[in-house]
Amino acid sequence: PRVQQALIDAGCHYSGRPFVKVLRPKFLQRSEYAYLDYVSGVLMGLFRRLSDMVQDSEDLKRYLAISDGERRLIAPEPLCPDPLPFTRLDSFATVDGPRFVELNGEAPAGAGFNDAAMGVLGEHPLIKDFMERTGARSMKAMDGVLDGLLKAWRAATTLPIMFHAGHNDVNIAKQLAASAELLGADIG
């Protein structure tokens, strides 16, 4: 109960319900992480090339049923040259390597929850002891988000704006607030 309350106090909840019910860490050896990073890079390169092909082809835009609104977002030239600055690949770790299940191209606000939750869990005596005994370490998700934001900002041809076209049943505002807090930003 104390850990759940600490998570709620850290903003890791949906409408007062903690979203961390069990601790299911992903333990990777350095070589496994390097392989995951390599495979993810190959896939992201593929998705970037596909994006370029769609940008240049009316046939592909029709095939993918890109709406008029979506066309306005990418034409005549997108705000940022990288079409996937905040994309994440969701996968399961298997004995045969990663099995990717989703390309998540939305604002990565959940990274703020990851880091806030690890801040709470990393203070738990059991986790501290485990990390000290094994040399395990957590990885900050917001570092990648910040890197993506800075790259997008530097590459932008006009002043960037941020918007979220979310769903009413998803509490994105709390994710964005957690991310903004970790970045030291005011989202007003």
Side-chain angles (χ1 to χ4, degrees):
R2 285 185 287 170
V3 171
Q4 284 189 343
Q5 188 58 51
L7 288 167
I8 290 171
D9 293 345
C12 301
H13 62 89
Y14 290 111
S15 300
R17 292 177 302 145
F19 66 82
V20 178
K21 299 286 187 193
V22 295
L23 184 58
R24 295 177 293 184
K26 237 184 223 185
F27 294 111
L28 298 175
Q29 294 181 18
R30 283 189 177 98
S31 61
E32 292 171 313
Y33 179 76
Y35 181 71
L36 178 63
D37 188 51
Y38 168 76
V39 172
S40 297
V42 169
L43 287 172
M44 291 306 293
L46 170 74
F47 291 127
R48 283 185 173 93
R49 286 193 302 279
L50 179 60
S51 175
D52 289 344
M53 291 170 66
V54 170
Q55 182 74 15
D56 296 337
S57 170
E58 285 302 316
D59 289 340
L60 280 174
K61 287 176 186 162
R62 277 192 297 279
Y63 178 77
L64 295 171
I66 293 178
S67 71
D68 289 341
E70 291 166 331
R71 286 173 182 259
R72 285 192 300 273
L73 286 174
I74 63 172
E77 216 173 283
L79 174 66
C80 176
D82 183 354
L84 308 167
F86 310 117
T87 302
R88 117 181 151 242
L89 296 171
D90 292 346
S91 69
F92 291 99
T94 72
V95 295
D96 297 321
R99 294 295 176 251
F100 294 92
V101 296
E102 182 180 15
L103 170 77
N104 193 327
E106 302 157 3
F113 276 158
N114 175 80
D115 291 357
M118 195 56 218
V120 170
L121 297 172
E123 292 301 314
H124 191 281
L126 180 66
I127 303 299
K128 279 179 148 178
D129 183 57
F130 174 80
M131 292 176 86
E132 287 171 9
R133 287 175 184 248
T134 64
R137 62 182 175 84
S138 65
M139 296 181 68
K140 295 234 180 252
M142 285 304 295
D143 293 347
V145 173
L146 182 55
D147 184 56
L149 283 169
L150 290 173
K151 285 179 182 173
W153 178 265
R154 290 178 183 134
T157 54
T158 60
L159 182 64
I161 59 170
M162 180 184 269
F163 72 95
H164 179 266
H167 306 282
N168 289 334
D169 60 335
V170 177
N171 194 344
I172 294 296
K174 291 202 183 301
Q175 291 182 352
L176 289 172
S179 297
E181 183 177 325
L182 285 168
L183 291 172
D186 179 15
I187 60 171

